[in-house]
Amino acid sequence: MFTYQIKNPAEAFINIEIEQGVFAGKTLKSTELQPCMDMTCPCGNIYFADDTENVFALDVSTSHILKYTDKDTLDGSKDATLKAFEDEITPAQWKELNTFFRDLKGMASEMAETSKIEAQFANYKKVLQESQMVSYYEILPWSYDLHLEIDGTKYWISDFYCVLPSCQCTSVMLLFSLSYDEQPNLELWFDYAKQEVSMGQLDDKTLPVTKIIREIKYTQADRFRKTLSNRHKRMNDFFVDFLKRNNITPSMKSPVIAGDNLGRNDLCGCGSGKKYKKCCGA
């Protein structure tokens, strides 16, 4: 029997009592449970140790018990004892532990000072050379979900930002899907400074585009403007800090200006994917 008590993430309190199996009689208190608090780490581990100081983890992202050894990391598929422990935890309990972990890491991700997070940009060369945009969840995988609910249906949003130090654009690429782990169905561009929404290249006609645009541009305009502008600033700060930590000196691009080589209907040189006249040339 696996029982537990959870308080809200602000207090970061969780208490687990194990009544059967090799861990029978052991109570894991908050002081013994150490959630991974690296804001940039995608793992869902809540670490603890047994009486012989073996290190284990409740992996709430995969619903497995892990054991760390000098040679390997074991889970229930490799170790009968761990399997027995896993079997004590019901799917509903795993789900609640996952929710607790997501809320805890999400709150920490949003509240942590930018300077306290060492963000990693694996594709930084493409960012600098090809103006590749970066997903907020790629940098902070446990940050609070961004979503819309329309007519009882929730639409998950992945937000992508330009982080080029030389770019001052305020456009964000938003990808919409019916679940956070599904492929996107719709791409929109939102300029949070100008309050303008435009269509991207992806639209499979399954989402209520008109209603979504109305929510972003009018009904929830203040929420989206504040959230996206704050996230954009954080992403820019993360990238600048990443470049400094790794002694990378970007070749700063000059501001894009209209001229013989760039028409107003050409794609903007900042990499936003929008026409110059609707981006830096507006």
Side-chain angles (χ1 to χ4, degrees):
M1 182 67 174
F2 176 92
T3 61
Y4 59 95
Q5 179 184 9
I6 292 176
K7 286 190 176 181
N8 65 71
E11 298 180 64
F13 176 86
I14 182 171
N15 191 61
I16 296 176
E17 182 178 350
I18 306 167
E19 297 182 359
Q20 297 180 16
V22 68
F23 295 94
K26 184 172 181 59
T27 298
L28 301 175
K29 300 180 180 179
S30 293
T31 53
E32 299 174 290
L33 290 163
Q34 299 295 327
C36 171
M37 293 308 293
D38 180 350
M39 301 300 102
T40 66
C41 179
C43 84
N45 289 351
I46 302 176
Y47 296 100
F48 63 96
D50 65 10
D51 295 334
T52 60
E53 297 186 354
N54 290 313
V55 177
F56 298 84
L58 294 162
D59 184 351
V60 302
S61 62
T62 64
S63 301
H64 282 309
I65 307 293
L66 306 179
K67 179 179 180 179
Y68 292 90
T69 71
D70 293 337
K71 298 180 180 179
D72 197 5
T73 300
L74 304 177
D75 60 29
S77 66
K78 304 175 183 177
D79 185 280
T81 300
L82 295 179
K83 178 61 176 175
F85 189 2
E86 285 182 10
D87 289 344
E88 292 187 39
I89 308 176
T90 67
Q93 290 172 329
W94 275 117
K95 184 176 180 180
E96 188 166 351
L97 288 169
N98 182 283
T99 299
F100 170 82
F101 188 86
R102 291 188 69 87
D103 287 346
L104 176 65
K105 289 278 289 259
M107 180 180 293
S109 296
E110 298 299 329
M111 295 180 64
E113 297 180 13
T114 304
S115 60
K116 303 296 183 181
I117 299 176
E118 292 192 357
Q120 302 298 320
F121 291 79
N123 295 325
Y124 75 92
K125 290 184 179 179
K126 289 189 176 181
V127 172
L128 295 173
Q129 298 170 5
E130 303 174 20
S131 302
Q132 184 180 81
M133 302 186 80
V134 185
S135 164
Y136 193 76
Y137 296 112
E138 178 184 338
I139 303 304
L140 296 177
W142 294 93
S143 56
Y144 285 147
D145 294 320
L146 191 61
H147 60 267
L148 273 177
E149 186 167 335
I150 300 175
D151 298 333
T153 300
K154 181 179 287 188
Y155 301 96
W156 301 86
I157 306 172
S158 296
D159 43 332
F160 291 74
Y161 300 87
C162 170
V163 295
L164 279 175
S166 58
C167 182
Q168 301 300 317
C169 74
T170 54
S171 291
V172 182
M173 182 173 70
L174 304 176
L175 298 182
F176 293 77
S177 59
L178 294 172
S179 172
Y180 69 87
D181 57 357
E182 291 185 8
Q183 292 297 312
N185 303 79
L186 174 68
E187 174 189 330
L188 294 179
W189 287 81
F190 180 53
D191 188 321
Y192 55 79
K194 300 176 182 177
Q195 290 292 106
E196 293 179 353
V197 181
S198 58
M199 292 293 298
Q201 298 180 359
L202 177 63
D203 179 12
D204 66 5
K205 310 300 181 183
T206 61
L207 273 60
V209 178
T210 301
K211 290 184 178 181
I212 289 175
I213 291 177
R214 184 165 59 243
E215 288 289 317
I216 295 174
K217 191 172 182 180
Y218 300 109
T219 310
Q220 300 188 45
D222 188 57
R223 170 201 167 199
F224 273 88
R225 182 177 64 253
K226 289 181 178 178
T227 299
L228 297 178
S229 61
N230 177 63
R231 287 189 172 198
H232 200 173
K233 183 181 185 306
R234 296 190 86 196
M235 290 289 282
N236 285 331
D237 290 344
F238 287 146
F239 192 60
V240 169
D241 178 67
F242 170 81
L243 296 178
K244 289 181 178 178
R245 281 189 284 110
N246 292 278
N247 297 314
I248 300 170
T249 303
S251 56
M252 303 298 284
K253 297 182 179 180
S254 300
V256 180
I257 58 175
D260 294 336
N261 297 323
L262 186 65
R264 289 182 58 75
N265 287 314
D266 293 333
L267 291 180
C268 188
C270 75
S272 68
K274 302 175 71 175
K275 291 182 179 180
Y276 170 70
K277 67 182 181 182
K278 290 187 176 182
C279 191
C280 296

